[in-house]
Amino acid sequence: MEAVMVLGKRVFCCLRACATGVARVVILLLLSQALWAGEYYVCTDANGKKLFSQTPCPAGYPSSQSQHYEVPANTGASLSPAAADAGERSISVDNQGLQEMTTNNRRIELQRKLAQAQQALTQLSQRQAEVLTPLEQTRDGIAGNNANNRRQQVNDQIIAKKAGFDDEREVLNNSIAAYRTELDQLSSGH
């Protein structure tokens, strides 16, 4: 019991020292053997997407497609009080369920980033039209003395703004291509 309290105090100190919630979760997962022991469920929906849960599969996930794993207490992260004092830590990445969960989480993250980049691309096109259309109308409506020079000035502004939009579009298209490539690699199992 005393060893658990020492480990708990160490975990709490590490958690308190971390600035972000993500760092707290990572440290907690790495240091707490209790979180890795027990049961979890892998639920597959009709589209083949997996949901990992500590509770039985929710509605929408046919029970005939659910799988149940028993995670041995000696897999995952472990840190004994003696090992903590010696600075020894071991983390097992051989756990198939953990690998599937990591891959699935990355796939979900990539799908979210892909959707955001595609939405940003659509918004960029809308912004471009909002900015360039008035300039083009101004350019086309210029008449009178020295009209060619004034038209050329407005045209130079249009060209500069188009170049800025094209640069943004290229960055977004490169991001979209990278997300799709990684998603394809995850789907093919590489």
Side-chain angles (χ1 to χ4, degrees):
M1 183 68 171
E2 184 178 351
V4 172
M5 297 206 44
V6 169
L7 178 60
K9 287 180 182 179
R10 287 177 189 253
V11 170
F12 178 75
C13 290
C14 290
L15 291 175
R16 191 174 40 165
C18 294
T20 66
V22 172
R24 289 181 182 139
V25 170
V26 169
I27 288 175
L28 187 59
L29 287 174
L30 292 176
L31 295 179
S32 177
Q33 180 177 354
L35 289 179
W36 291 99
E39 303 174 314
Y40 67 93
Y41 297 82
V42 179
C43 308
T44 307
D45 69 6
N47 297 326
K49 293 186 180 180
K50 292 186 177 184
L51 169 73
F52 293 85
S53 175
Q54 292 178 334
T55 60
C57 298
Y61 291 87
S63 59
S64 62
Q65 293 181 341
S66 67
Q67 296 177 352
H68 175 261
Y69 292 93
E70 177 69 32
V71 180
N74 61 356
T75 61
S78 64
L79 180 64
S80 68
D85 293 337
E88 298 175 22
R89 295 181 180 150
S90 65
I91 300 171
S92 172
V93 292
D94 296 333
N95 185 318
Q96 181 184 359
L98 176 63
Q99 291 172 353
E100 287 177 14
M101 185 170 35
T102 302
T103 301
N104 192 48
N105 286 344
R106 180 63 180 156
R107 182 178 295 113
I108 291 168
E109 178 184 12
L110 288 169
Q111 289 168 342
R112 180 182 48 81
K113 286 182 177 183
L114 179 62
Q116 288 173 342
Q118 289 170 332
Q119 183 179 12
L121 196 58
T122 301
Q123 291 172 348
L124 178 66
S125 295
Q126 292 170 348
R127 272 196 350 257
Q128 182 176 355
E130 290 170 359
V131 169
L132 295 182
T133 300
L135 286 173
E136 290 167 345
Q137 290 172 347
T138 300
R139 177 195 63 200
D140 296 342
I142 294 176
N145 293 340
N146 209 9
N148 286 337
N149 287 342
R150 290 184 295 156
R151 271 192 221 108
Q152 186 59 45
Q153 286 177 339
V154 175
N155 202 45
D156 289 344
Q157 289 177 1
I158 292 171
I159 291 170
K161 291 196 182 285
K162 276 185 183 178
F165 285 117
D166 289 343
D167 290 345
E168 283 184 63
R169 187 172 287 106
E170 183 179 358
V171 168
L172 287 170
N173 283 329
N174 289 341
S175 295
I176 288 170
Y179 298 147
R180 285 184 176 155
T181 299
E182 190 173 347
L183 276 169
D184 289 343
Q185 290 172 346
L186 287 174
S187 295
S188 65
H190 291 114

